[in-house]
Amino acid sequence: MTMTDFGEILKNVGEFGRFQKSLVFMLCFLSFFNAFHMFGQLFMAISVPHHCNTSWILENSPNITEEDQLNLTIPRNEHGSYEKCVMYTPVDWDIESIQRYGLNDSEDCQNGWVYDTSQQKSTLVMEFNLVCHRKEETDISQAVYMSGLLIGSIIFGPLGDRLGRRPVILLSMLLMFSFGMGAAFVTNFYVYTALRCVVGIAMSGVLINNLVLVAEWVGSSHRAYATITGHVCFAIGQMGLAGISYAIRNWRLLQIACSAPTGLLFFYIWVLPESPRWLLTKGKNEKAKTLLQKAATFNRQTIPEELLSQLQEEKQTKSGSMVDLFRVPSLRKVTLVMSFVWFVNSLVYYGLSLNVGSFGLDIYLTQLIFGAVEIPARLGSMFIVQILGRKLSQSLCLLLGGTVCLIITAIPRTLPVVITVLAVIGKFAIAASFSICYIYAAELFPTIIRQNGVGLCSMTARVAGIISPLISLLDKYHPAIPMGIFGSGPIIGGLLCFLLPETRNRDLQDHTHEANGIPRSDNFPKEQLMDENHGDEEMDPSQQQKRTRL
C-alpha cells in the first residue's frame, strides 16, 4: 500500500467525524487565547496624559492649587495645552516672586512625571516611564515580540517535522504560559520585553503546528472549514480581549489574565493526538494504526482490516529539508510565490490594523470593531475557497485589498469617513486572504516537508510584521507612500497566484516527487519512492525509463 491511499483510509475513519470535530474544538481554545498574547500589550502600554513632576514648588508653597502649580511650572505648547516633556527650570525663589516675575528658562523633565490615573490604574508606560525620549520603546518592544514570532518560525517549523506536531504544540504551550506569567512580575522593562520575545517564539510553534495537525487529520472537503474555524476563534478572542482589558486597568493583572488561561489547557497532554500522516512518514506504522483505529471507533466507523494490514508495508522515508523546497522546480515556484503572498498579507494586515485605529473611537471599542470585522471575512473565505477554489479566491482577495489601498491614496484627508470605510474594506479582504493562504499553503506542500514549507512562509510573514510599522513612518514624507506600498504588494501577489496549482478537493501530497507531477502507482519502484532526496542520476537506466513512461 502506498501513502497515496491514506485518503481512502481517512474516508473509512471519517473525514470530519466526532474525532476531528473534537480536535478542532480543542485547538480553537488555543486560537482564542492566542489573541490575548498577540494584542495584549496594546492595552498594557496605553499612553495616558502626563506632565513633568514639578513638586519642587510645593516646598515653597505647600498650599498652592494644582492648577496654579501647573501654570507656574509647566510651559504651554502652540495648541495651548501643557507640555508633556518640558518644565520650567526650578529656582530658589519665594512663591510671590515666581508669581510676579514668572519663569522663563525651561528644560527636560528632571524628577520624573505625573500621570493621570483617572482611566488607567497602572500601565507599562506609567510604571517604567516610557514617555518623551523613551516613548519609542513600546513600539520597539512590540517589534521584538514580532521578532520572536520570526525566530519561532525558524525553529518550530523544522522541529515539528523532526519531533512531531503534538510534542511541539505542548512545548510551545508550556513556554507561553510560564514566560507570559513571568512577564507579569518583572521590575525591568527590558526583562519584560525579553520574556515577551520568548512568548512570541512559542506562539509561532502553536500557530504552525495547529495548522498542520488539523490539515493532516481532516479530509480535503472539510479542511477549509476546520482551519478557518480556528481563525474565527482568533477574531472572537480579539473581541474578548477588548472586554477583559476594559474591566482590568492594571497591566500586571491584565498580563496574568492573558497568560493564565493557557495553563488551563494542559490536559491536552492526555488528549491531543499526533498526526497519523507524520507517523507513517517516520515509519511508525503501529502507532499510526492504533491512532487511526481509535479515531474510527470515536467516529463510530470501522476500518477494513485489509486496509490497516497494508499500512505495515510502508517503509520509513527520509525527512525532507528546507533544501527540498528549492531543489524541485515545481516546489521552488510554489515556495517563492507563497512566501511572497504570506509576506504581503502580513504587511498589509498589520499596516491597516495600525492605520484603521483612526476611527476616533476609544481603544476598547476600536478593538471590538477590529475583531468583529474579521469574523465575516474569515467565515466568508471558508465558503469562497470551496466555490471558487483556492487559487482564484486567494488572488481575488489580494487584488481587492490592494486596489482599495491604492484608492485610499487618492482620497483627500478631508474625507476621513470615506478613508475609514475603504480601510475597513481593505482589512476585510486581507483578513480573508490571510485565512485562505493558511489553507492553501498546507495543501501545496508535501507531508514530508510541509512543516518546512509552512514555516518558511510564516517566517516571511513575521518579517513583514516587523517592518510594517516602519513603513507607516514614511507618512511624514508623503501621506500616500504607506498606502501606495500596502496597495501595490497585494496586487503583485494576486497576479502571481495564477502561477500556482489548484488544490480544492485533492488529497494531500506526501512526497516531493508528487509535487513534481510524478504519480504513484503500485508498479512504481519502491526503492525510488523511499529515497526522496536522490536525483535521477542515481537510478539505473531501467528505472529512468520507467519514470519517463510514467
Side-chain angles (χ1 to χ4, degrees), residues 36-50:
F36 294 3
H37 291 286
M38 186 73 77
F39 299 108
Q41 186 176 311
L42 179 67
F43 300 94
M44 298 176 204
I46 292 178
S47 181
V48 297
H50 60 273

Side-chain angles (χ1 to χ4, degrees), residues 7 139 163 175 191 403 465 473 476 518 539:
D139 292 329
L163 300 181
L175 292 175
V191 175
T403 301
L473 295 177
K476 64 182 180 181
I518 300 173
M539 304 177 198

Side-chain angles (χ1 to χ4, degrees), residues 1-8 216 277 280-281 314 317-318 324 327-334 442-450 501-503 506-522 524-525 528-534 536 539 547 550:
M1 179 178 180
T2 62
M3 285 292 290
T4 306
D5 298 319
F6 184 85
E8 186 65 29
E216 293 179 346
R277 282 182 178 271
L280 290 172
T281 62
E314 185 69 32
T317 62
K318 290 187 176 182
D324 291 319
R327 181 174 59 82
V328 181
S330 58
L331 273 180
R332 182 165 57 245
K333 178 176 66 176
V334 166
E443 295 178 344
L444 283 171
F445 294 107
T447 300
I448 196 168
I449 53 171
R450 183 168 295 121
E502 179 55 65
T503 61
R506 295 183 183 178
D507 192 32
L508 293 179
Q509 303 166 8
D510 289 303
H511 297 275
T512 56
H513 71 273
E514 294 175 88
N516 210 24
I518 300 173
R520 285 277 185 103
S521 76
D522 292 335
F524 201 87
Q528 183 178 329
L529 291 179
M530 293 304 105
D531 194 352
E532 294 296 335
N533 294 318
H534 287 71
D536 290 347
M539 304 177 198
R547 169 170 279 191
L550 288 170

Side-chain angles (χ1 to χ4, degrees), residues 162-384:
R162 185 174 298 274
L163 300 181
R165 289 47 165 147
R166 179 180 181 274
V168 172
I169 291 175
L170 295 174
L171 174 62
S172 299
M173 289 172 58
L174 177 62
L175 292 175
M176 288 171 62
F177 172 73
S178 55
F179 283 84
M181 291 292 288
F185 300 96
V186 299
T187 57
N188 182 284
F189 183 69
Y190 302 115
V191 175
Y192 164 85
T193 300
L195 295 180
R196 280 270 297 166
C197 181
V198 178
V199 173
I201 293 173
M203 173 78 78
S204 270
V206 170
L207 293 175
I208 295 172
N209 288 276
N210 274 11
L211 165 68
V212 176
L213 186 61
V214 168
E216 293 179 346
W217 259 114
V218 176
S220 60
S221 60
H222 298 87
R223 201 174 294 134
Y225 304 126
T227 302
I228 296 177
T229 297
H231 294 178
V232 171
C233 289
F234 183 80
I236 295 174
Q238 294 182 49
M239 300 173 68
L241 175 63
I244 292 174
S245 57
Y246 181 82
I248 302 175
R249 304 297 180 95
N250 181 300
W251 80 267
R252 292 186 185 275
L253 295 179
L254 182 57
Q255 177 67 32
I256 292 174
C258 288
S259 302
T262 306
L264 301 177
L265 302 179
F266 276 112
F267 69 91
Y268 283 13
I269 195 170
W270 293 286
V271 296
L272 188 68
E274 183 54 88
S275 164
R277 282 182 178 271
W278 179 83
L279 290 171
L280 290 172
T281 62
K282 293 299 180 181
K284 300 179 180 181
N285 301 331
E286 287 304 315
K287 290 185 177 179
K289 180 179 177 180
T290 301
L291 194 54
L292 289 168
Q293 286 178 318
K294 177 182 176 182
T297 301
F298 199 77
N299 288 340
R300 298 173 182 172
Q301 301 290 329
T302 303
I303 308 176
E305 190 60 36
E306 57 271 18
L307 280 179
L308 283 176
S309 62
Q310 292 175 43
L311 281 175
Q312 298 173 1
E313 300 176 15
E314 185 69 32
K315 296 181 180 179
Q316 185 171 355
T317 62
K318 290 187 176 182
S319 297
S321 68
M322 200 74 75
V323 176
D324 291 319
L325 295 173
F326 299 94
R327 181 174 59 82
V328 181
S330 58
L331 273 180
R332 182 165 57 245
K333 178 176 66 176
V334 166
T335 301
L336 293 175
V337 173
M338 283 308 297
S339 294
F340 184 76
V341 167
W342 279 58
F343 179 88
V344 295
N345 266 318
S346 179
L347 189 74
V348 181
Y349 179 83
Y350 289 107
L352 287 180
S353 294
L354 295 173
N355 288 305
V356 175
S358 58
F359 279 131
L361 307 173
D362 73 28
I363 191 170
Y364 304 103
L365 187 55
T366 301
Q367 179 68 21
L368 195 66
I369 293 173
F370 282 177
V373 164
E374 287 194 27
I375 292 176
R378 308 288 194 179
L379 290 174
S381 64
M382 186 185 301
F383 297 102
I384 64 172

Side-chain angles (χ1 to χ4, degrees), residues 344 347-358 398 400-411 413 416 418-427 430 468 470-476 478-491:
V344 295
L347 189 74
V348 181
Y349 179 83
Y350 289 107
L352 287 180
S353 294
L354 295 173
N355 288 305
V356 175
S358 58
L398 284 170
L400 174 60
T403 301
V404 168
C405 290
L406 290 180
I407 293 175
I408 290 177
T409 63
I411 305 297
R413 291 292 183 93
V418 176
I419 293 175
T420 300
V421 170
L422 289 172
V424 170
I425 295 173
K427 189 171 187 291
I430 292 299
S468 183
L470 304 179
I471 292 178
S472 298
L473 295 177
L474 298 175
D475 180 83
K476 64 182 180 181
H478 194 285
I481 293 177
M483 281 300 171
I485 296 174
F486 294 145
S488 57
I491 288 179

Side-chain angles (χ1 to χ4, degrees), residues 100-120:
R100 182 179 305 167
Y101 301 107
L103 302 176
N104 296 314
D105 296 331
S106 61
E107 60 184 8
D108 294 337
C109 300
Q110 299 298 315
N111 300 307
W113 292 262
V114 175
Y115 299 95
D116 181 359
T117 59
S118 60
Q119 297 296 321
Q120 300 294 328

